[in-house]
Amino acid sequence: MSATSVLWIAGAMLAFLVLYILSAFLLAPRETTAVSGAYLVGFLLMMGSGYHYGLAAALSFLLFFYAASLMRGQIANRLTPSFYPLTFYGTPAAVTSFAVLFAFVGYFYPFHFNSLSIPPALFQYVTPVVEPLIATQAPWYKKGMTVDEFLSASMTNSIPAEQASAIAASKKLQASLASEVGKQRDALGEQFGIALDGGERFQDFLALVADSYMSRYLTSYEAFIPIIVALSVFLAVKSMGFLFSRSAVFFAWLVMKVLLATGVVERKAETVEKEVFIV
């Protein structure tokens, strides 16, 4: 998932939570419930059919209902309307509802471990650091060498200089050297569980090795990956809840100020009767 997609999702969540907070102030409980229901219907339409997503939506709906109850309780029990208490009552439960939804998505996401790969470009920052270390152990190594060039240089430097000169002057010996390079390349690929054609440079080789180890590791623990992903997503959303809920309350407060200033919403005082015990 790209950074742009994450920003769009976060923006949609924030907009919905702002609307939900405003609905707790301005709408009847049934209408507030309809707001959360519309959001969850959209979630189901986007994710498609499946009992697991239906279960996620049901749990999320209960949490939204609980969040609305907390918010309405704070609104009803205060003499003047205030948004600040909602940062502690209501919005945390709504954030938990989001966390539940995304945890279910993470758990049931169809990961294809065998097709996961790391782009070689990610190793472009590692290569300049590692190549000088290689050169200290293999002086014949030169920056930008391919696998076949490295193996060929390794074999050439392991024999006396006169034999190396003879190989350079003989096409037959060069063909034999190329054949031996091919055998060593195949052995190297078998050692790391990768397929080499000889034209890979160092960062390409690193990417192939990383892909091989990652694929074998993830496949070995495939049964645990969905649980780890779901738990990680849930905790990630909850860890952002502090900032997220306060941002939503702040924007809801700003929108309410605009509604009051434009006359769409009016503020008025009501007399409330209350029963007490008298001794």
Side-chain angles (χ1 to χ4, degrees):
M1 183 179 291
S2 64
T4 303
S5 299
V6 173
L7 289 176
W8 273 106
I9 293 173
M13 290 167 56
L14 184 61
F16 168 76
L17 193 51
V18 169
L19 177 62
Y20 200 63
I21 292 170
L22 291 173
S23 72
F25 276 95
L26 302 175
L27 304 179
R30 181 179 299 178
E31 294 167 329
T32 303
T33 302
V35 172
S36 61
Y39 177 82
L40 295 173
V41 167
F43 168 78
L44 291 175
L45 290 175
M46 182 177 65
M47 298 308 302
S49 59
Y51 74 91
H52 42 278
Y53 292 131
L55 177 60
L59 292 174
S60 180
F61 181 80
L62 292 175
L63 285 168
F64 276 130
F65 184 83
Y66 175 65
S69 299
L70 291 177
M71 286 190 285
R72 288 186 179 281
Q74 288 300 311
I75 294 169
N77 293 330
R78 300 185 70 85
L79 295 178
T80 57
S82 176
F83 284 80
Y84 179 73
L86 303 188
T87 58
F88 304 101
Y89 302 95
T91 51
V95 171
T96 302
S97 180
F98 288 131
V100 168
L101 285 178
F102 286 105
F104 268 81
V105 173
Y107 183 85
F108 291 102
Y109 186 83
F111 290 101
H112 301 290
F113 301 108
N114 294 329
S115 61
L116 291 177
S117 62
I118 300 175
L122 292 180
F123 292 94
Q124 63 181 341
Y125 304 105
V126 178
T127 302
V129 178
V130 178
E131 282 186 323
L133 299 177
I134 298 175
T136 60
Q137 301 298 320
W140 59 88
Y141 178 78
K142 295 180 180 180
K143 182 180 179 180
M145 265 188 168
T146 64
V147 170
D148 277 3
E149 290 171 346
F150 176 80
L151 293 175
S152 177
S154 176
M155 286 187 287
T156 302
N157 280 271
S158 65
I159 59 178
E162 58 272 15
Q163 293 185 19
S165 299
I167 292 175
S170 172
K171 291 185 178 180
K172 184 177 181 180
L173 292 176
Q174 290 176 11
S176 298
L177 177 65
S179 176
E180 186 61 29
V181 166
K183 292 178 181 178
Q184 290 199 15
R185 182 209 315 140
D186 292 340
L188 183 65
E190 184 177 355
Q191 178 183 352
F192 289 100
I194 58 178
L196 297 171
D197 59 22
E200 298 85 0
R201 302 190 185 280
F202 181 65
Q203 68 182 48
D204 303 319
F205 176 76
L206 281 181
L208 288 172
V209 172
D211 288 343
S212 176
Y213 276 98
M214 183 176 67
S215 178
R216 280 182 281 177
Y217 178 81
L218 291 178
T219 302
S220 300
Y221 296 94
E222 187 172 355
F224 301 99
I225 297 299
I227 299 174
I228 295 173
V229 171
L231 184 60
S232 300
V233 170
F234 182 87
L235 294 177
V237 176
K238 286 292 293 180
S239 65
M240 295 297 293
F242 180 86
L243 177 62
F244 194 79
S245 61
R246 278 156 179 73
S247 299
V249 171
F250 174 71
F251 284 115
W253 176 78
L254 286 180
V255 173
M256 184 65 81
K257 285 291 186 182
V258 173
L259 295 177
L260 288 169
T262 56
V264 176
V265 176
E266 297 181 358
R267 187 194 299 266
K268 69 176 184 178
E270 290 184 346
T271 302
V272 179
E273 294 184 1
K274 184 178 180 181
E275 291 184 357
V276 296
F277 292 106
I278 299 177
V279 178

